[in-house]
PDB file of all heavy atoms in Angstrom:
ATOM      1  N   GLN A 128      96.848 100.756 104.859  1.00  0.00           N
ATOM      2  CA  GLN A 128      95.649 101.265 105.539  1.00  0.00           C
ATOM      3  C   GLN A 128      94.990 100.269 106.479  1.00  0.00           C
ATOM      4  O   GLN A 128      94.071 100.636 107.204  1.00  0.00           O
ATOM      5  CB  GLN A 128      94.604 101.719 104.506  1.00  0.00           C
ATOM      6  CG  GLN A 128      95.088 102.799 103.556  1.00  0.00           C
ATOM      7  CD  GLN A 128      95.526 102.194 102.218  1.00  0.00           C
ATOM      8  OE1 GLN A 128      95.944 101.043 102.163  1.00  0.00           O
ATOM      9  NE2 GLN A 128      95.421 102.983 101.164  1.00  0.00           N
ATOM     10  N   THR A 129      95.424  99.022 106.473  1.00  0.00           N
ATOM     11  CA  THR A 129      94.700  97.981 107.215  1.00  0.00           C
ATOM     12  C   THR A 129      95.493  97.413 108.386  1.00  0.00           C
ATOM     13  O   THR A 129      95.154  96.364 108.922  1.00  0.00           O
ATOM     14  CB  THR A 129      94.319  96.828 106.267  1.00  0.00           C
ATOM     15  OG1 THR A 129      95.510  96.305 105.651  1.00  0.00           O
ATOM     16  CG2 THR A 129      93.355  97.309 105.194  1.00  0.00           C
ATOM     17  N   ARG A 130      96.508  98.102 108.824  1.00  0.00           N
ATOM     18  CA  ARG A 130      97.392  97.537 109.849  1.00  0.00           C
ATOM     19  C   ARG A 130      96.720  97.484 111.220  1.00  0.00           C
ATOM     20  O   ARG A 130      96.873  96.515 111.963  1.00  0.00           O
ATOM     21  CB  ARG A 130      98.712  98.312 109.881  1.00  0.00           C
ATOM     22  CG  ARG A 130      99.416  98.234 108.531  1.00  0.00           C
ATOM     23  CD  ARG A 130     100.812  98.801 108.517  1.00  0.00           C
ATOM     24  NE  ARG A 130     101.365  98.706 107.165  1.00  0.00           N
ATOM     25  CZ  ARG A 130     102.628  98.946 106.864  1.00  0.00           C
ATOM     26  NH1 ARG A 130     103.479  99.298 107.832  1.00  0.00           N
ATOM     27  NH2 ARG A 130     103.065  98.843 105.624  1.00  0.00           N
ATOM     28  N   PHE A 131      95.977  98.517 111.577  1.00  0.00           N
ATOM     29  CA  PHE A 131      95.202  98.472 112.830  1.00  0.00           C
ATOM     30  C   PHE A 131      94.185  97.329 112.776  1.00  0.00           C
ATOM     31  O   PHE A 131      94.043  96.556 113.720  1.00  0.00           O
ATOM     32  CB  PHE A 131      94.448  99.785 113.044  1.00  0.00           C
ATOM     33  CG  PHE A 131      95.235 100.855 113.746  1.00  0.00           C
ATOM     34  CD1 PHE A 131      96.600 100.731 113.977  1.00  0.00           C
ATOM     35  CD2 PHE A 131      94.601 102.008 114.184  1.00  0.00           C
ATOM     36  CE1 PHE A 131      97.313 101.727 114.605  1.00  0.00           C
ATOM     37  CE2 PHE A 131      95.312 103.017 114.819  1.00  0.00           C
ATOM     38  CZ  PHE A 131      96.666 102.880 115.025  1.00  0.00           C
ATOM     39  N   LYS A 132      93.464  97.270 111.661  1.00  0.00           N
ATOM     40  CA  LYS A 132      92.395  96.283 111.539  1.00  0.00           C
ATOM     41  C   LYS A 132      92.931  94.864 111.695  1.00  0.00           C
ATOM     42  O   LYS A 132      92.362  94.046 112.435  1.00  0.00           O
ATOM     43  CB  LYS A 132      91.699  96.439 110.191  1.00  0.00           C
ATOM     44  CG  LYS A 132      90.511  95.512 110.007  1.00  0.00           C
ATOM     45  CD  LYS A 132      89.801  95.793 108.686  1.00  0.00           C
ATOM     46  CE  LYS A 132      88.587  94.886 108.527  1.00  0.00           C
ATOM     47  NZ  LYS A 132      87.864  95.163 107.267  1.00  0.00           N
ATOM     48  N   LYS A 133      94.037  94.558 111.031  1.00  0.00           N
ATOM     49  CA  LYS A 133      94.607  93.216 111.113  1.00  0.00           C
ATOM     50  C   LYS A 133      95.103  92.920 112.520  1.00  0.00           C
ATOM     51  O   LYS A 133      94.921  91.813 113.038  1.00  0.00           O
ATOM     52  CB  LYS A 133      95.737  93.060 110.096  1.00  0.00           C
ATOM     53  CG  LYS A 133      95.252  93.013 108.655  1.00  0.00           C
ATOM     54  CD  LYS A 133      96.386  92.779 107.695  1.00  0.00           C
ATOM     55  CE  LYS A 133      96.933  91.365 107.830  1.00  0.00           C
ATOM     56  NZ  LYS A 133      95.955  90.365 107.370  1.00  0.00           N
ATOM     57  N   ALA A 134      95.738  93.911 113.156  1.00  0.00           N
ATOM     58  CA  ALA A 134      96.251  93.699 114.514  1.00  0.00           C
ATOM     59  C   ALA A 134      95.108  93.469 115.506  1.00  0.00           C
ATOM     60  O   ALA A 134      95.197  92.599 116.385  1.00  0.00           O
ATOM     61  CB  ALA A 134      97.100  94.890 114.949  1.00  0.00           C
ATOM     62  N   LEU A 135      94.020  94.222 115.360  1.00  0.00           N
ATOM     63  CA  LEU A 135      92.915  94.124 116.307  1.00  0.00           C
ATOM     64  C   LEU A 135      92.130  92.824 116.180  1.00  0.00           C
ATOM     65  O   LEU A 135      91.374  92.471 117.081  1.00  0.00           O
ATOM     66  CB  LEU A 135      91.973  95.328 116.148  1.00  0.00           C
ATOM     67  CG  LEU A 135      92.530  96.662 116.653  1.00  0.00           C
ATOM     68  CD1 LEU A 135      91.581  97.804 116.319  1.00  0.00           C
ATOM     69  CD2 LEU A 135      92.799  96.615 118.149  1.00  0.00           C
ATOM     70  N   GLU A 136      92.319  92.115 115.079  1.00  0.00           N
ATOM     71  CA  GLU A 136      91.681  90.802 114.937  1.00  0.00           C
ATOM     72  C   GLU A 136      92.117  89.854 116.059  1.00  0.00           C
ATOM     73  O   GLU A 136      91.380  88.944 116.432  1.00  0.00           O
ATOM     74  CB  GLU A 136      92.014  90.198 113.574  1.00  0.00           C
ATOM     75  CG  GLU A 136      91.310  90.900 112.419  1.00  0.00           C
ATOM     76  CD  GLU A 136      91.780  90.403 111.061  1.00  0.00           C
ATOM     77  OE1 GLU A 136      92.716  89.562 111.023  1.00  0.00           O
ATOM     78  OE2 GLU A 136      91.230  90.864 110.044  1.00  0.00           O
ATOM     79  N   GLN A 137      93.311  90.103 116.616  1.00  0.00           N
ATOM     80  CA  GLN A 137      93.829  89.249 117.687  1.00  0.00           C
ATOM     81  C   GLN A 137      92.998  89.353 118.970  1.00  0.00           C
ATOM     82  O   GLN A 137      93.006  88.435 119.789  1.00  0.00           O
ATOM     83  CB  GLN A 137      95.280  89.622 118.011  1.00  0.00           C
ATOM     84  CG  GLN A 137      96.254  89.472 116.879  1.00  0.00           C
ATOM     85  CD  GLN A 137      97.627  89.988 117.268  1.00  0.00           C
ATOM     86  OE1 GLN A 137      98.094  89.804 118.404  1.00  0.00           O
ATOM     87  NE2 GLN A 137      98.299  90.648 116.339  1.00  0.00           N
ATOM     88  N   VAL A 138      92.311  90.492 119.161  1.00  0.00           N
ATOM     89  CA  VAL A 138      91.618  90.719 120.438  1.00  0.00           C
ATOM     90  C   VAL A 138      90.119  90.905 120.263  1.00  0.00           C
ATOM     91  O   VAL A 138      89.444  91.424 121.149  1.00  0.00           O
ATOM     92  CB  VAL A 138      92.229  91.934 121.182  1.00  0.00           C
ATOM     93  CG1 VAL A 138      93.663  91.649 121.604  1.00  0.00           C
ATOM     94  CG2 VAL A 138      92.163  93.196 120.327  1.00  0.00           C
ATOM     95  N   GLN A 139      89.585  90.491 119.132  1.00  0.00           N
ATOM     96  CA  GLN A 139      88.155  90.664 118.865  1.00  0.00           C
ATOM     97  C   GLN A 139      87.280  90.018 119.932  1.00  0.00           C
ATOM     98  O   GLN A 139      86.202  90.515 120.250  1.00  0.00           O
ATOM     99  CB  GLN A 139      87.811  90.079 117.492  1.00  0.00           C
ATOM    100  CG  GLN A 139      88.157  90.972 116.319  1.00  0.00           C
ATOM    101  CD  GLN A 139      87.293  92.217 116.251  1.00  0.00           C
ATOM    102  OE1 GLN A 139      86.121  92.202 116.600  1.00  0.00           O
ATOM    103  NE2 GLN A 139      87.878  93.310 115.799  1.00  0.00           N
ATOM    104  N   ARG A 140      87.736  88.915 120.495  1.00  0.00           N
ATOM    105  CA  ARG A 140      86.935  88.198 121.492  1.00  0.00           C
ATOM    106  C   ARG A 140      87.338  88.530 122.937  1.00  0.00           C
ATOM    107  O   ARG A 140      86.703  88.062 123.872  1.00  0.00           O
ATOM    108  CB  ARG A 140      87.040  86.691 121.261  1.00  0.00           C
ATOM    109  CG  ARG A 140      86.459  86.253 119.929  1.00  0.00           C
ATOM    110  CD  ARG A 140      86.515  84.751 119.762  1.00  0.00           C
ATOM    111  NE  ARG A 140      85.951  84.345 118.482  1.00  0.00           N
ATOM    112  CZ  ARG A 140      84.663  84.160 118.228  1.00  0.00           C
ATOM    113  NH1 ARG A 140      83.779  84.362 119.196  1.00  0.00           N
ATOM    114  NH2 ARG A 140      84.248  83.779 117.038  1.00  0.00           N
ATOM    115  N   LYS A 141      88.379  89.345 123.080  1.00  0.00           N
ATOM    116  CA  LYS A 141      88.855  89.677 124.430  1.00  0.00           C
ATOM    117  C   LYS A 141      88.167  90.930 124.975  1.00  0.00           C
ATOM    118  O   LYS A 141      87.978  91.064 126.182  1.00  0.00           O
ATOM    119  CB  LYS A 141      90.370  89.875 124.425  1.00  0.00           C
ATOM    120  CG  LYS A 141      90.946  90.182 125.798  1.00  0.00           C
ATOM    121  CD  LYS A 141      92.465  90.299 125.768  1.00  0.00           C
ATOM    122  CE  LYS A 141      93.008  90.613 127.162  1.00  0.00           C
ATOM    123  NZ  LYS A 141      94.486  90.754 127.174  1.00  0.00           N
ATOM    124  N   TYR A 142      87.815  91.861 124.085  1.00  0.00           N
ATOM    125  CA  TYR A 142      87.241  93.143 124.502  1.00  0.00           C
ATOM    126  C   TYR A 142      85.840  93.324 123.930  1.00  0.00           C
ATOM    127  O   TYR A 142      85.498  92.805 122.874  1.00  0.00           O
ATOM    128  CB  TYR A 142      88.122  94.305 124.033  1.00  0.00           C
ATOM    129  CG  TYR A 142      89.486  94.323 124.684  1.00  0.00           C
ATOM    130  CD1 TYR A 142      90.585  93.766 124.036  1.00  0.00           C
ATOM    131  CD2 TYR A 142      89.670  94.864 125.956  1.00  0.00           C
ATOM    132  CE1 TYR A 142      91.833  93.760 124.626  1.00  0.00           C
ATOM    133  CE2 TYR A 142      90.916  94.869 126.559  1.00  0.00           C
ATOM    134  CZ  TYR A 142      91.993  94.308 125.895  1.00  0.00           C
ATOM    135  OH  TYR A 142      93.229  94.298 126.484  1.00  0.00           O
ATOM    136  N   ASP A 143      85.036  94.112 124.657  1.00  0.00           N
ATOM    137  CA  ASP A 143      83.717  94.496 124.169  1.00  0.00           C
ATOM    138  C   ASP A 143      83.800  95.752 123.308  1.00  0.00           C
ATOM    139  O   ASP A 143      83.093  95.871 122.305  1.00  0.00           O
ATOM    140  CB  ASP A 143      82.772  94.750 125.346  1.00  0.00           C
ATOM    141  CG  ASP A 143      82.595  93.525 126.221  1.00  0.00           C
ATOM    142  OD1 ASP A 143      82.123  92.493 125.702  1.00  0.00           O
ATOM    143  OD2 ASP A 143      82.962  93.590 127.413  1.00  0.00           O
ATOM    144  N   TYR A 144      84.656  96.687 123.736  1.00  0.00           N
ATOM    145  CA  TYR A 144      84.798  97.954 123.016  1.00  0.00           C
ATOM    146  C   TYR A 144      86.265  98.339 122.877  1.00  0.00           C
ATOM    147  O   TYR A 144      87.073  98.067 123.763  1.00  0.00           O
ATOM    148  CB  TYR A 144      84.052  99.091 123.736  1.00  0.00           C
ATOM    149  CG  TYR A 144      82.560  99.024 123.547  1.00  0.00           C
ATOM    150  CD1 TYR A 144      81.757  98.361 124.471  1.00  0.00           C
ATOM    151  CD2 TYR A 144      81.954  99.593 122.430  1.00  0.00           C
ATOM    152  CE1 TYR A 144      80.386  98.262 124.294  1.00  0.00           C
ATOM    153  CE2 TYR A 144      80.579  99.507 122.249  1.00  0.00           C
ATOM    154  CZ  TYR A 144      79.810  98.848 123.171  1.00  0.00           C
ATOM    155  OH  TYR A 144      78.452  98.754 122.988  1.00  0.00           O
ATOM    156  N   CYS A 145      86.564  98.978 121.753  1.00  0.00           N
ATOM    157  CA  CYS A 145      87.867  99.591 121.528  1.00  0.00           C
ATOM    158  C   CYS A 145      87.624 101.043 121.152  1.00  0.00           C
ATOM    159  O   CYS A 145      86.871 101.336 120.219  1.00  0.00           O
ATOM    160  CB  CYS A 145      88.616  98.862 120.405  1.00  0.00           C
ATOM    161  SG  CYS A 145      90.162  99.659 119.911  1.00  0.00           S
ATOM    162  N   ILE A 146      88.239 101.959 121.891  1.00  0.00           N
ATOM    163  CA  ILE A 146      88.137 103.396 121.628  1.00  0.00           C
ATOM    164  C   ILE A 146      89.471 103.871 121.060  1.00  0.00           C
ATOM    165  O   ILE A 146      90.530 103.621 121.660  1.00  0.00           O
ATOM    166  CB  ILE A 146      87.823 104.190 122.909  1.00  0.00           C
ATOM    167  CG1 ILE A 146      86.602 103.608 123.635  1.00  0.00           C
ATOM    168  CG2 ILE A 146      87.618 105.669 122.593  1.00  0.00           C
ATOM    169  CD1 ILE A 146      85.330 103.683 122.857  1.00  0.00           C
ATOM    170  N   ILE A 147      89.446 104.544 119.915  1.00  0.00           N
ATOM    171  CA  ILE A 147      90.673 105.067 119.318  1.00  0.00           C
ATOM    172  C   ILE A 147      90.658 106.588 119.400  1.00  0.00           C
ATOM    173  O   ILE A 147      89.769 107.245 118.843  1.00  0.00           O
ATOM    174  CB  ILE A 147      90.836 104.621 117.858  1.00  0.00           C
ATOM    175  CG1 ILE A 147      90.725 103.090 117.738  1.00  0.00           C
ATOM    176  CG2 ILE A 147      92.189 105.095 117.317  1.00  0.00           C
ATOM    177  CD1 ILE A 147      90.842 102.577 116.318  1.00  0.00           C
ATOM    178  N   ASP A 148      91.627 107.138 120.133  1.00  0.00           N
ATOM    179  CA  ASP A 148      91.788 108.589 120.247  1.00  0.00           C
ATOM    180  C   ASP A 148      92.742 109.043 119.151  1.00  0.00           C
ATOM    181  O   ASP A 148      93.919 108.694 119.151  1.00  0.00           O
ATOM    182  CB  ASP A 148      92.348 108.945 121.626  1.00  0.00           C
ATOM    183  CG  ASP A 148      92.663 110.422 121.753  1.00  0.00           C
ATOM    184  OD1 ASP A 148      91.904 111.234 121.183  1.00  0.00           O
ATOM    185  OD2 ASP A 148      93.673 110.770 122.408  1.00  0.00           O
ATOM    186  N   ASN A 149      92.241 109.824 118.204  1.00  0.00           N
ATOM    187  CA  ASN A 149      93.016 110.196 117.022  1.00  0.00           C
ATOM    188  C   ASN A 149      93.569 111.608 117.089  1.00  0.00           C
ATOM    189  O   ASN A 149      93.005 112.492 117.743  1.00  0.00           O
ATOM    190  CB  ASN A 149      92.138 110.068 115.776  1.00  0.00           C
ATOM    191  CG  ASN A 149      91.774 108.640 115.470  1.00  0.00           C
ATOM    192  OD1 ASN A 149      92.588 107.877 114.964  1.00  0.00           O
ATOM    193  ND2 ASN A 149      90.549 108.255 115.801  1.00  0.00           N
ATOM    194  N   ALA A 150      94.661 111.814 116.371  1.00  0.00           N
ATOM    195  CA  ALA A 150      95.261 113.142 116.249  1.00  0.00           C
ATOM    196  C   ALA A 150      94.351 114.046 115.417  1.00  0.00           C
ATOM    197  O   ALA A 150      93.553 113.557 114.609  1.00  0.00           O
ATOM    198  CB  ALA A 150      96.631 113.032 115.590  1.00  0.00           C
ATOM    199  N   PRO A 151      94.447 115.364 115.591  1.00  0.00           N
ATOM    200  CA  PRO A 151      93.648 116.296 114.777  1.00  0.00           C
ATOM    201  C   PRO A 151      94.248 116.439 113.382  1.00  0.00           C
ATOM    202  O   PRO A 151      94.731 117.501 112.979  1.00  0.00           O
ATOM    203  CB  PRO A 151      93.730 117.602 115.578  1.00  0.00           C
ATOM    204  CG  PRO A 151      95.042 117.508 116.291  1.00  0.00           C
ATOM    205  CD  PRO A 151      95.232 116.064 116.623  1.00  0.00           C
ATOM    206  N   ASP A 152      94.203 115.340 112.633  1.00  0.00           N
ATOM    207  CA  ASP A 152      94.883 115.302 111.339  1.00  0.00           C
ATOM    208  C   ASP A 152      94.377 114.077 110.570  1.00  0.00           C
ATOM    209  O   ASP A 152      93.884 113.127 111.175  1.00  0.00           O
ATOM    210  CB  ASP A 152      96.402 115.199 111.569  1.00  0.00           C
ATOM    211  CG  ASP A 152      97.195 115.406 110.300  1.00  0.00           C
ATOM    212  OD1 ASP A 152      96.615 115.850 109.288  1.00  0.00           O
ATOM    213  OD2 ASP A 152      98.408 115.114 110.310  1.00  0.00           O
ATOM    214  N   ILE A 153      94.512 114.121 109.259  1.00  0.00           N
ATOM    215  CA  ILE A 153      94.309 112.920 108.464  1.00  0.00           C
ATOM    216  C   ILE A 153      95.687 112.447 108.011  1.00  0.00           C
ATOM    217  O   ILE A 153      96.295 113.025 107.116  1.00  0.00           O
ATOM    218  CB  ILE A 153      93.397 113.177 107.247  1.00  0.00           C
ATOM    219  CG1 ILE A 153      91.961 113.410 107.702  1.00  0.00           C
ATOM    220  CG2 ILE A 153      93.433 111.989 106.296  1.00  0.00           C
ATOM    221  CD1 ILE A 153      91.287 112.197 108.336  1.00  0.00           C
ATOM    222  N   ASN A 154      96.199 111.454 108.701  1.00  0.00           N
ATOM    223  CA  ASN A 154      97.467 110.844 108.308  1.00  0.00           C
ATOM    224  C   ASN A 154      97.240 109.344 108.185  1.00  0.00           C
ATOM    225  O   ASN A 154      96.115 108.867 108.312  1.00  0.00           O
ATOM    226  CB  ASN A 154      98.572 111.191 109.319  1.00  0.00           C
ATOM    227  CG  ASN A 154      98.194 110.819 110.738  1.00  0.00           C
ATOM    228  OD1 ASN A 154      97.578 109.789 110.984  1.00  0.00           O
ATOM    229  ND2 ASN A 154      98.562 111.661 111.706  1.00  0.00           N
ATOM    230  N   ILE A 155      98.282 108.587 107.936  1.00  0.00           N
ATOM    231  CA  ILE A 155      98.085 107.167 107.658  1.00  0.00           C
ATOM    232  C   ILE A 155      97.580 106.403 108.887  1.00  0.00           C
ATOM    233  O   ILE A 155      96.828 105.436 108.756  1.00  0.00           O
ATOM    234  CB  ILE A 155      99.377 106.530 107.086  1.00  0.00           C
ATOM    235  CG1 ILE A 155      99.088 105.144 106.505  1.00  0.00           C
ATOM    236  CG2 ILE A 155     100.471 106.485 108.135  1.00  0.00           C
ATOM    237  CD1 ILE A 155      98.100 105.147 105.362  1.00  0.00           C
ATOM    238  N   SER A 156      97.924 106.855 110.088  1.00  0.00           N
ATOM    239  CA  SER A 156      97.424 106.141 111.273  1.00  0.00           C
ATOM    240  C   SER A 156      95.962 106.484 111.555  1.00  0.00           C
ATOM    241  O   SER A 156      95.211 105.630 112.039  1.00  0.00           O
ATOM    242  CB  SER A 156      98.299 106.407 112.506  1.00  0.00           C
ATOM    243  OG  SER A 156      98.289 107.755 112.883  1.00  0.00           O
ATOM    244  N   THR A 157      95.514 107.703 111.254  1.00  0.00           N
ATOM    245  CA  THR A 157      94.095 108.010 111.423  1.00  0.00           C
ATOM    246  C   THR A 157      93.261 107.310 110.348  1.00  0.00           C
ATOM    247  O   THR A 157      92.129 106.888 110.610  1.00  0.00           O
ATOM    248  CB  THR A 157      93.813 109.525 111.399  1.00  0.00           C
ATOM    249  OG1 THR A 157      94.348 110.103 110.212  1.00  0.00           O
ATOM    250  CG2 THR A 157      94.430 110.216 112.595  1.00  0.00           C
ATOM    251  N   ILE A 158      93.806 107.171 109.147  1.00  0.00           N
ATOM    252  CA  ILE A 158      93.112 106.386 108.116  1.00  0.00           C
ATOM    253  C   ILE A 158      92.997 104.941 108.578  1.00  0.00           C
ATOM    254  O   ILE A 158      91.954 104.297 108.424  1.00  0.00           O
ATOM    255  CB  ILE A 158      93.850 106.491 106.770  1.00  0.00           C
ATOM    256  CG1 ILE A 158      93.716 107.914 106.214  1.00  0.00           C
ATOM    257  CG2 ILE A 158      93.299 105.473 105.768  1.00  0.00           C
ATOM    258  CD1 ILE A 158      94.545 108.186 104.986  1.00  0.00           C
ATOM    259  N   ASN A 159      94.064 104.405 109.186  1.00  0.00           N
ATOM    260  CA  ASN A 159      94.002 103.060 109.754  1.00  0.00           C
ATOM    261  C   ASN A 159      92.896 102.960 110.794  1.00  0.00           C
ATOM    262  O   ASN A 159      92.191 101.948 110.876  1.00  0.00           O
ATOM    263  CB  ASN A 159      95.348 102.704 110.392  1.00  0.00           C
ATOM    264  CG  ASN A 159      96.242 101.916 109.459  1.00  0.00           C
ATOM    265  OD1 ASN A 159      96.322 100.697 109.517  1.00  0.00           O
ATOM    266  ND2 ASN A 159      96.929 102.631 108.576  1.00  0.00           N
ATOM    267  N   ALA A 160      92.746 104.002 111.603  1.00  0.00           N
ATOM    268  CA  ALA A 160      91.718 103.996 112.647  1.00  0.00           C
ATOM    269  C   ALA A 160      90.321 103.966 112.045  1.00  0.00           C
ATOM    270  O   ALA A 160      89.424 103.293 112.556  1.00  0.00           O
ATOM    271  CB  ALA A 160      91.884 105.213 113.551  1.00  0.00           C
ATOM    272  N   LEU A 161      90.109 104.690 110.939  1.00  0.00           N
ATOM    273  CA  LEU A 161      88.804 104.684 110.280  1.00  0.00           C
ATOM    274  C   LEU A 161      88.527 103.336 109.611  1.00  0.00           C
ATOM    275  O   LEU A 161      87.397 102.852 109.625  1.00  0.00           O
ATOM    276  CB  LEU A 161      88.733 105.811 109.248  1.00  0.00           C
ATOM    277  CG  LEU A 161      88.704 107.240 109.802  1.00  0.00           C
ATOM    278  CD1 LEU A 161      88.760 108.254 108.667  1.00  0.00           C
ATOM    279  CD2 LEU A 161      87.457 107.466 110.655  1.00  0.00           C
ATOM    280  N   VAL A 162      89.551 102.749 109.055  1.00  0.00           N
ATOM    281  CA  VAL A 162      89.379 101.441 108.419  1.00  0.00           C
ATOM    282  C   VAL A 162      89.051 100.375 109.461  1.00  0.00           C
ATOM    283  O   VAL A 162      88.269  99.445 109.202  1.00  0.00           O
ATOM    284  CB  VAL A 162      90.645 101.061 107.624  1.00  0.00           C
ATOM    285  CG1 VAL A 162      90.558  99.629 107.112  1.00  0.00           C
ATOM    286  CG2 VAL A 162      90.845 102.016 106.459  1.00  0.00           C
ATOM    287  N   ALA A 163      89.610 100.511 110.652  1.00  0.00           N
ATOM    288  CA  ALA A 163      89.385  99.521 111.713  1.00  0.00           C
ATOM    289  C   ALA A 163      88.090  99.750 112.472  1.00  0.00           C
ATOM    290  O   ALA A 163      87.624  98.857 113.182  1.00  0.00           O
ATOM    291  CB  ALA A 163      90.553  99.551 112.700  1.00  0.00           C
ATOM    292  N   ALA A 164      87.489 100.929 112.325  1.00  0.00           N
ATOM    293  CA  ALA A 164      86.359 101.311 113.180  1.00  0.00           C
ATOM    294  C   ALA A 164      85.021 100.797 112.670  1.00  0.00           C
ATOM    295  O   ALA A 164      84.817 100.588 111.467  1.00  0.00           O
ATOM    296  CB  ALA A 164      86.300 102.832 113.304  1.00  0.00           C
ATOM    297  N   ASP A 165      84.109 100.619 113.601  1.00  0.00           N
ATOM    298  CA  ASP A 165      82.703 100.406 113.282  1.00  0.00           C
ATOM    299  C   ASP A 165      81.963 101.742 113.270  1.00  0.00           C
ATOM    300  O   ASP A 165      81.113 101.989 112.418  1.00  0.00           O
ATOM    301  CB  ASP A 165      82.053  99.486 114.314  1.00  0.00           C
ATOM    302  CG  ASP A 165      82.694  98.106 114.340  1.00  0.00           C
ATOM    303  OD1 ASP A 165      82.557  97.375 113.350  1.00  0.00           O
ATOM    304  OD2 ASP A 165      83.350  97.783 115.347  1.00  0.00           O
ATOM    305  N   ASP A 166      82.291 102.605 114.245  1.00  0.00           N
ATOM    306  CA  ASP A 166      81.585 103.868 114.425  1.00  0.00           C
ATOM    307  C   ASP A 166      82.569 105.031 114.557  1.00  0.00           C
ATOM    308  O   ASP A 166      83.703 104.847 115.022  1.00  0.00           O
ATOM    309  CB  ASP A 166      80.717 103.821 115.686  1.00  0.00           C
ATOM    310  CG  ASP A 166      79.560 102.828 115.565  1.00  0.00           C
ATOM    311  OD1 ASP A 166      79.132 102.560 114.426  1.00  0.00           O
ATOM    312  OD2 ASP A 166      79.103 102.332 116.607  1.00  0.00           O
ATOM    313  N   VAL A 167      82.119 106.225 114.181  1.00  0.00           N
ATOM    314  CA  VAL A 167      82.896 107.454 114.331  1.00  0.00           C
ATOM    315  C   VAL A 167      82.088 108.450 115.150  1.00  0.00           C
ATOM    316  O   VAL A 167      80.916 108.683 114.866  1.00  0.00           O
ATOM    317  CB  VAL A 167      83.255 108.080 112.973  1.00  0.00           C
ATOM    318  CG1 VAL A 167      84.032 109.379 113.168  1.00  0.00           C
ATOM    319  CG2 VAL A 167      84.059 107.110 112.123  1.00  0.00           C
ATOM    320  N   LEU A 168      82.719 109.027 116.175  1.00  0.00           N
ATOM    321  CA  LEU A 168      82.135 110.101 116.973  1.00  0.00           C
ATOM    322  C   LEU A 168      83.029 111.324 116.842  1.00  0.00           C
ATOM    323  O   LEU A 168      84.267 111.205 116.902  1.00  0.00           O
ATOM    324  CB  LEU A 168      82.032 109.705 118.444  1.00  0.00           C
ATOM    325  CG  LEU A 168      80.808 108.893 118.904  1.00  0.00           C
ATOM    326  CD1 LEU A 168      80.760 107.538 118.233  1.00  0.00           C
ATOM    327  CD2 LEU A 168      80.834 108.719 120.418  1.00  0.00           C
ATOM    328  N   VAL A 169      82.408 112.495 116.685  1.00  0.00           N
ATOM    329  CA  VAL A 169      83.163 113.722 116.448  1.00  0.00           C
ATOM    330  C   VAL A 169      82.818 114.765 117.514  1.00  0.00           C
ATOM    331  O   VAL A 169      81.722 115.323 117.502  1.00  0.00           O
ATOM    332  CB  VAL A 169      82.864 114.291 115.047  1.00  0.00           C
ATOM    333  CG1 VAL A 169      83.645 115.587 114.823  1.00  0.00           C
ATOM    334  CG2 VAL A 169      83.193 113.272 113.967  1.00  0.00           C
ATOM    335  N   PRO A 170      83.741 115.047 118.439  1.00  0.00           N
ATOM    336  CA  PRO A 170      83.500 116.135 119.400  1.00  0.00           C
ATOM    337  C   PRO A 170      83.690 117.487 118.726  1.00  0.00           C
ATOM    338  O   PRO A 170      84.601 117.666 117.914  1.00  0.00           O
ATOM    339  CB  PRO A 170      84.574 115.889 120.475  1.00  0.00           C
ATOM    340  CG  PRO A 170      85.660 115.144 119.773  1.00  0.00           C
ATOM    341  CD  PRO A 170      85.022 114.363 118.666  1.00  0.00           C
ATOM    342  N   VAL A 171      82.818 118.440 119.044  1.00  0.00           N
ATOM    343  CA  VAL A 171      82.932 119.795 118.492  1.00  0.00           C
ATOM    344  C   VAL A 171      82.697 120.809 119.605  1.00  0.00           C
ATOM    345  O   VAL A 171      81.979 120.535 120.567  1.00  0.00           O
ATOM    346  CB  VAL A 171      81.926 120.050 117.348  1.00  0.00           C
ATOM    347  CG1 VAL A 171      82.186 119.122 116.171  1.00  0.00           C
ATOM    348  CG2 VAL A 171      80.490 119.901 117.816  1.00  0.00           C
TER     349      VAL A 171
END
């Protein structure tokens, strides 16, 4: 569940924002996205 989070540690000081566009599903990569995220926005 922490693969995105660990990878993004490499660029914490390079970027101001990271936006993750997720699939309409709860799978292991979307769980990774939630673990790596600070905030969640939900379009409806």
